[in-house]
Amino acid sequence: MTVRTRIAPSPTGDPHVGTAYIALFNLCFARQHGGQFILRIEDTDRERSTPESEQMILDSMRWLGLEWDEGPDVGGPHGPYRQSERGDIYGEYARQLIEAGHAFKCFRTSEELDELREARKAAGMHLALKPADLALSAEEQTRREKEAWPYVVRMKVPATGRCVIDDMLRGAIEVDWAQVDAQILLKSDGMPTYHLANVVDDHLMGITHVLRGEEWINSAPKHQLLYEYLGWEMPQLCHMPLLRNPDKSKLSKRKNPTSINYYRRMGYLPQAVINYLGRMGWSMPDEREKFSLDEMMSHFDVQRVSLGGPVFDLEKLTWLNGVYIREDLDDKAFLKALREWAFNEEYVSRILPQVRPRVETLSQVVPLAGHFFSGLPAIDEESFDEVKLSREDLLRLLQFLVWRFEGVPAWRKETLLEEVKTLSGHFDLKMKAFLAPVFIAITGSSSSTSVMDAMAILGSDMTRARLRHAIEVLGGISKKQVKRFEKEYREIA
Ligand code: GLU
C-alpha cells in the first residue's frame, strides 16, 4: 500500500497557521513512508469560498516549503482537486445512498426544524435531530415531493448505542449515537456538505491516512458510517491536538495573529516558522529545538505526537527566528532573505508612487516610507493626543474597522474605501476626521504617505495587526465594551 495523505483546506479566509501545521504533519507522515501528499481545495461553501483565499493558501504553503505531489495547480491522476469542479460526483453517491435506504430526502422547513429541536429540548433529549424526528407521514412526503418542495438529503444514523472510532493517537474513541444527527449530505441547492464531499474524495483520491485537527472528532462517526454504507475502507484517522494561545484557549485571531501572511509580512523566515510548527506537540528523538524540514521528515514518528495542547507562543517563535538569522544566514543569505521579504522590485515599485510626490531628496525616502518596511509601529497613548475623539470612540472606531476589514474578501483600495465610507457615515465623521486615528495606527505618525494606499499595500494582516496594536496601546477593550460594541456593530448595514 502506498501511503497517501492530504490537506483539505476550505478557502474561506486567511491562510491559517493551523492549516500549515496539519499540512506539515501530513507531509512528514507521507514522506516518512515513501508516500504522497495531496492538496485538495474544499470549496463547497460557495458563499464563503473565494479564489483570493485559495491563492493565498497555495502561496503561503509554498512559501513555507510544504510541497504537494497532486493539487489544483499541479494536477495529478485523481483530479480535479477543487471540489467545486467535481461536478455530479457527489450527487451520484447521494442518490446511491437513498436507493440503498441509507439516506432520505428531507422536506422539512426551517420552522419545522426549530419546532422539532424545541420539542427535543423540552423532553430533555440531545438536540441532534434523528431520522425518526424528521420523518413525515407517507402521504405528506409524497405531497411535498409532488409539489416540488425544496429538500436536502440526510443520512440515516442509529438512534441508540455507541460508535467506536479508532484513532492512531487516541486509540478507541467512543461516541454516543444519540448525539449524532441525521447529517445533511446534499444541500437544497444540490451542493454536497463537507461530510459527503470529504468522504467521497478521500476515497476516490486513495487517501490512506487522515491527520487532521481534533475539532473533527465529532464528525468521525458520521464519516465512518458513510464509508460503511458505501462499502469502502476508511482511511486511518489521526486527530492532532489543537494549537493553543499561551492562556491555553484555542488559538484564535482575537488573541494571536493566525494568518501565515502576517508572519511573512513581519519578516519571519519560513524555515523558522516550519521548525516552530514542527515542535507543536512533537519533538525530535534527541529533543533538539532547531531542525529543518528535511530533518523532521527523516526522523518523523507520529507516535511521538503528544496530546497535551501545544502552545503557539509568539515570543518563542520570535526567539527561534532570531537564532536562524544569527546562525544560519551569512551575509549573502541575509541579503537574499531581505530581498525576498520586502526589498524587491515588485514591492518597492508599489511604494514609489506613494513617495515620489512627497520627497525632495532621496534621503527622505526611508524616514517617510519606513512603515512599509516595519512591523508594529512604536506608538503610545500620547500618539493619539491630537485626535479629537473620546477614548471610547477611538476604541470603537478602530475595533469596528478591524471587524469590517476581517470580512473583506478582495483586499483592494477601492474595497477598503467602501468600508471606510460606511463606517465614517456610521460615526457621523468626515472621512478625514475618521481616518486621523487610523493614520496614526497604520503609519505610526501624523504625517506620512496616504493611509488608504498604505493599507492596500501592507495587506490585510499587517493592517489589522496594526489597528489591533493601536487598540492595545490605548488600553484595550474590556469584555463589557466588546459586548456593547458587538451589539452596535451588528446594526450597521
Ligand atoms: N475542509 C476541512 C477544513 O477546512 C477539512 C477537514 C478534514 O481534514 O477532514 O479543515
Side-chain angles (χ1 to χ4, degrees), residues 6 8-10 42 194 198 202 210-213 215-216 223:
R6 49 60 167 188
S10 298
E42 299 208 327
Y194 152 73
N198 186 273
D202 278 348
V210 169
L211 281 67
R212 63 180 173 195
E215 73 266 35
W216 299 105
H223 297 184

Side-chain angles (χ1 to χ4, degrees), residues 450-470:
S450 136
V451 66
M452 290 307 304
D453 288 289
M455 293 193 291
I457 293 171
L458 287 165
S460 168
D461 300 281
M462 185 55 88
T463 297
R464 285 181 292 138
R466 289 187 187 178
L467 294 171
R468 276 197 305 266
H469 176 63

